[in-house]
Amino acid sequence: MSIRDVRVPESLITALQNAQSVAGLTGSGVSAESGVPTFREAQTGLWTRFDPEQLATPEAFARDPHLVWEWYAWRRKHIDKAAPNRGHEALAELERRVPSFALVTQNVDGLHWHAGSRNVIELHGNIGRSKCSREGVIVEPRQDDTGVPPLCPHCGAFLRPDVVWFGEALPVDALAEAFEAARGCDLFLSAGTSGLVQPAASLPIEALRSGAVIVEVNPDETPLTRYASYVLRGRAGEMLPGLVNAAYG
Ligand code: APR
């Protein structure tokens, strides 16, 4: 579908053009068109026999750090080949157009940053970064460390991916920033998320409570659909550039 075929209501165009503050929330659906499998689709090849929720936990890492590190290295290889799609680029364009724009993402693939978004709040971390499993500080392995996992150059503990695992708390600062953005925006744009995982799923509801216009971009219905003022029923790679094109030409 051409972006000119995307039907955007006039009132939504006006709401976006007049918005002083916009908050976005994205999930794995916005990276689908970049070829990044969603968290649960990722299990192919030798990883098919593993349940991702059994790998992405502190207990799994304590039990078998080698296996968990290998899984993330395999996922990183996939993600390193992915490029941002027109949905990521449209969100980066929105950030340039709107006086205040905050992009909250549940994705760990870093594609928003590569597309040019700068005010990105990573609720679940970033698979491209490593941190010390003991100190929690972001640190990269030494070049000559071929260990699996590599060791922290400061304290010698295993390094781990800088992502939030099941059962772990989300980064406190990121969460606070995300809720502040949701409560302070005129328009909240939820794209590519099933809206099933808390606390991210509460962000659009907080925005609604604060009087924001809610827009959902998703090919499918979600629990958020009933609260949305506007639903662009389709893929982010088409709907988001279509929205930006309708509002800014
Ligand atoms: N454009 C927009 N949305 C899409 C597209 C697309 N091209 N393709 C799929 N979707 C939608 C699906 O309809 C679904 O609603 O994206 C959503 C993906 O939902 P999930 O796979 O549940 O991903 P997400 O919402 O990001 O999950 C949240 O749960 O799996 C954990 O930690 C993981 O961050 C993840 C969190």
Side-chain angles (χ1 to χ4, degrees):
M1 172 194 282
S2 143
I3 62 173
R4 281 173 186 65
D5 299 333
V6 175
R7 310 286 353 114
V8 181
E10 276 303 321
S11 54
L12 171 53
I13 294 171
T14 307
L16 184 54
Q17 289 169 337
N18 294 341
Q20 293 306 302
S21 168
V22 172
L25 170 66
T26 61
S28 66
V30 297
S31 292
E33 292 157 88
S34 293
V36 176
T38 66
F39 184 72
R40 292 166 185 83
E41 286 163 356
Q43 300 308 88
T44 58
L46 65 92
W47 296 104
T48 314
R49 59 197 165 98
F50 292 96
D51 169 359
E53 301 201 10
Q54 301 306 315
L55 289 170
T57 68
E59 294 75 17
F61 187 72
R63 192 172 49 247
D64 191 342
H66 181 105
L67 177 74
V68 172
W69 181 269
E70 287 273 79
W71 180 51
Y72 278 92
W74 176 76
R75 288 180 62 198
R76 271 184 178 171
K77 260 205 310 264
H78 266 272
I79 285 170
D80 287 349
K81 291 186 203 126
N85 63 58
R86 294 189 309 172
H88 294 107
E89 289 159 359
L91 289 166
E93 176 64 14
L94 265 185
E95 183 173 341
R96 291 187 282 269
R97 296 278 189 169
V98 175
S100 165
F101 185 90
L103 183 57
V104 183
T105 188
Q106 301 169 93
N107 300 339
V108 297
D109 56 33
L111 288 178
H112 287 305
W113 179 268
H114 294 308
S117 293
R118 285 300 171 259
N119 189 10
V120 182
I121 301 166
E122 294 176 319
L123 283 187
H124 293 168
N126 185 315
I127 201 169
R129 288 192 303 262
S130 301
K131 67 182 180 183
C132 174
S133 60
R134 180 183 297 150
E135 303 160 317
V137 292
I138 303 295
V139 62
E140 285 313 315
R142 277 199 311 268
Q143 289 294 330
D144 61 351
D145 184 344
T146 55
V148 180
L151 304 179
C152 170
H154 309 145
C155 74
F158 283 138
L159 294 188
R160 55 164 283 183
D162 180 29
V163 296
V164 177
W165 279 334
F166 288 96
E168 290 188 317
L170 271 64
V172 175
D173 295 348
L175 203 48
E177 271 178 66
F179 274 93
E180 188 186 339
R183 291 183 183 122
C185 69
D186 311 309
L187 186 143
F188 191 96
L189 182 59
S190 174
T193 180
S194 57
L196 296 173
V197 174
Q198 292 297 350
S202 301
L203 290 168
I205 307 304
E206 280 301 308
L208 182 67
R209 282 204 191 109
S210 306
V213 169
I214 308 299
V215 183
E216 180 175 56
V217 176
N218 197 314
D220 302 332
E221 204 165 304
T222 74
L224 176 65
T225 304
R226 57 203 283 253
Y227 300 103
S229 322
Y230 299 96
V231 176
L232 298 179
R233 186 63 71 220
R235 303 189 308 180
E238 292 160 0
M239 297 297 120
L240 288 172
L243 174 62
V244 171
N245 178 61
Y248 306 105

